[in-house]
Amino acid sequence: MDAGLVGPYGVVTTVIAVVAVAALGTVLVLLRRERIQARRNAELVRVAGQLHRRYNALQLVTSEGVVVLSHDGLVLDLSERAAQILGVTRDAVVGLPVSRIPVMLLDDRGLAVNPGFVLGRHGAQAEERTTVVTLVPPGPGARPSVVQATSRLMPGDDGGETAALTTIVDITARHDVEVALSRSETQFKVAMENAPIGMALVDLDWRITEANVALAELLGTHASALRGYRVDELSAPEDRASQRMEMDKLLGGGQQRFSLEMRCRRADEQLVWVVLDAALVRASDGEADHFVVQVRDATESKMQAEMLTHRAMHDPLTGLANRTLLQEVLQAALAQPGAVDRIAVLACDLDGFKAINDRYGHATGDDILVHVAGVLRAASSGNGTVARLGGDEFVVVVQDVHAAKAVFEVANEIHSGLAEPVRVGRRRLGVRASIGIALAEVHLVEAGAPTLLAAADAALYRAKQTGRGRTEVYDTSMELAAPSNVHRELVHAIESGEMVVHYQPIVDLSDARVVGYEALVRWQHPHRGLLLPGAFLSQVQDAGASVLLGQLVATRVVEFLATHADDGRWVSVNVSADQLGDSELATRLLQDLSRHRVTAGRLVLELTESSLVASGTRIRHELTQLSAAGVPILLDDFGTGVSPLSYLRDLPVAGVKLDMSFTSGIPHDPTAGKVVRALGALARELAMVTIAEGIENEEQADFLRRNGWRYGQGWLYGGARPVD
């Protein structure tokens, strides 16, 4: 070949070879890079798959659902939990505009809300937005749920367009708890604010944090003014120590609550009685948190209790101490050191009082007794205790450093005070008094209060026997009224006819027609005048003469019924368990009824609950025998005994008599009214006769009649009168 030609061809070939080698190298480099990129892509796919699996696993265990939206509001992704909460399927929602998701959402006003507003993007800022809505699932009977949706704007890759990420949580249970707590708190607040009694929330320092209107009105101020005050600062100083002691018990776990009667000081400085009930509220960890306090106005109940106590210890007519209180005062005085020469007892009995009572009536006699009570109060001038024992019998216990001198001054003042006639209406009636005095000598003090009273009574008898209207002082020459002498005197009175029977009418409450009487025994004492049962019945029982007295009264009553056979009225007689237990009384009663041909149903026996406490088989036998013969049995003093229901069940009782202590409280005492209604309903349910005692005015009569009590007796219809 021509050398000139070979040269150029060789160059071309070399160039082609170089280019081929270079191309091959480039291809090899590219292949290597492609393999590296493929491996990198495979790793990325592996990592992406791993992340996706973790994402799916996370969605399975979390309570939150996730919705991913594009910048133009298309649903890019929806987790299974989100689909479950919304009640849709993932395939049906992905790719849809968020506003077209088939769900019904309601706001707090119950108005429909567009899903795009709750789940979609809002504005261009990457701020978080939370919305709570009610999700109403399709189909009848499905329970709505409460959903909380939180949307965040997420920036795209390399600062591209933003997307929205929304998390969805079903908060139905939490919402229900919050609603219940809110409702409970509202109910408590409303109940506290509108409670009829005072209520307050008090911190552990006993300081008021909240108070209601009722408490503020009770204390005469405003509820806001009470905040910050300690409860004990509103109390009387004497009651603060007891509050602190009860609080310490609560805080120490010794008790859960306490109730305390105390006095609170009003804004006008007046003291009111209240009952404070406090309970300690503890936190969930058991630590003390605060107190809940209730304050009830106890002024009225306190006054009623004091009135009942006063009534039990004082004479209802004159307001003086009664026999029970007198005994307590005298015994307490004698128990003090130095009682000798510092105590004296004055017994006072009116002269001619029976004549005034018989001539002008009990109302006039009561006016006289009230006047005499005032004279005795003035005479003692706070230097002693004045008591009325019954009838026209009065006693003054004088306590003074110089008792002997003071008691004579009291006696002289009594005589001077009674020197002027008493004006009663248009009349001027004269009344005088006989007085007996006993000084507290050593042997009388050692013997006790009953002996000292008996000594004063012995001196009183001497005063009456020696002319009346005078004062005598006890000495050892006087016969002390020993129990044996008193007993002999009582037996003599029964046998000699000094015991008389008076009759108090019992009426039909519907028309005030007299249907019967109650027989009441009186002692026509030769020196002391007419004595009421309270002055001697206890001594009759001590003397063992109760059966004898019961037979006498029953015989008189049967004779009365025999002489009034045409009026058809009945008479009730009071008997005690010991009288029935003797068996002679029942036998004598049935014999007298048969002999005088008196219908057995016209004689009624009244038994007090207190006398039946120790009743036994013998009593039940006597009652059954009398009831079988036609003699009705009434349970007297109904409502005051130990177990009246058992008596109504076990004894042949035909009716009940309401105790006058209940009658006196109506209609103004609500508790007495409730008891009267309840006892009446019980008696009527058992088909028993109902009688109410102690009726003094028309209001009481009308109340009893309206509440089912058929018969009644009391001063409104007349007191006890003799046969003539």
Side-chain angles (χ1 to χ4, degrees), residues 214-231:
L215 179 59
E217 290 178 348
L218 176 62
L219 299 178
T221 183
H222 299 284
S224 58
L226 292 175
R227 297 190 188 101
Y229 273 96
R230 289 175 56 89
V231 177

Side-chain angles (χ1 to χ4, degrees), residues 31 38 50 54 73 120 295 302-303 346 396 398 407 518 555 563 675 686:
L31 288 174
Q50 187 178 26
R54 291 179 180 177
V295 182
K302 185 71 174 179
M303 291 178 61
L346 181 151
V396 181
V398 177
V407 74
E518 180 180 5
T555 299
T563 57
V675 173
L686 298 175

Side-chain angles (χ1 to χ4, degrees), residues 362 500-508 513-522 532-534 537 553-554 556-558 560-561 567 569-576 579 601-609 632 634-638 656-660 663 690-695 711-715 717-723:
H362 288 285
V500 296
V501 179
H502 288 190
Y503 298 86
Q504 185 176 27
I506 300 174
V507 305
D508 190 321
R513 175 175 52 88
V514 177
V515 295
Y517 303 91
E518 180 180 5
L520 300 169
V521 67
R522 305 286 189 263
L532 298 178
L537 277 186
V553 173
R556 298 276 181 84
V557 168
V558 173
F560 171 85
L561 290 171
D567 63 10
R569 296 171 180 171
W570 42 270
V571 177
S572 62
V573 180
N574 291 282
V575 295
S576 61
Q579 290 172 334
R602 296 185 63 202
L603 178 66
V604 180
L605 296 186
E606 294 184 17
L607 296 95
T608 60
E609 290 180 21
L634 296 181
L635 190 61
D636 197 9
D637 299 338
F638 186 56
V656 295
K657 292 191 74 173
L658 180 69
D659 186 74
M660 65 177 61
T663 305
T690 54
I691 306 174
E693 296 179 293
I695 302 175
Y711 303 111
Q713 67 183 96
W715 283 104
Y717 306 110
R721 304 290 185 182
V723 175

Side-chain angles (χ1 to χ4, degrees), residues 136-159:
V136 181
R143 184 175 182 270
S145 58
V146 181
V147 175
Q148 176 180 291
T150 303
S151 299
R152 303 174 184 85
L153 295 179
M154 307 296 292
D157 295 338
D158 301 326

Side-chain angles (χ1 to χ4, degrees), residues 144-186:
S145 58
V146 181
V147 175
Q148 176 180 291
T150 303
S151 299
R152 303 174 184 85
L153 295 179
M154 307 296 292
D157 295 338
D158 301 326
E161 293 183 343
T162 59
L165 178 67
T166 301
T167 57
I168 306 174
V169 183
D170 186 342
I171 61 169
T172 304
R174 188 182 76 188
H175 181 266
D176 290 344
V177 171
E178 291 175 351
V179 170
L181 289 175
S182 177
R183 183 186 300 115
S184 177
E185 183 178 354
T186 301

Side-chain angles (χ1 to χ4, degrees), residues 20 69 158 489 550 682:
L69 304 175
D158 301 326
E489 186 180 14
L682 174 63

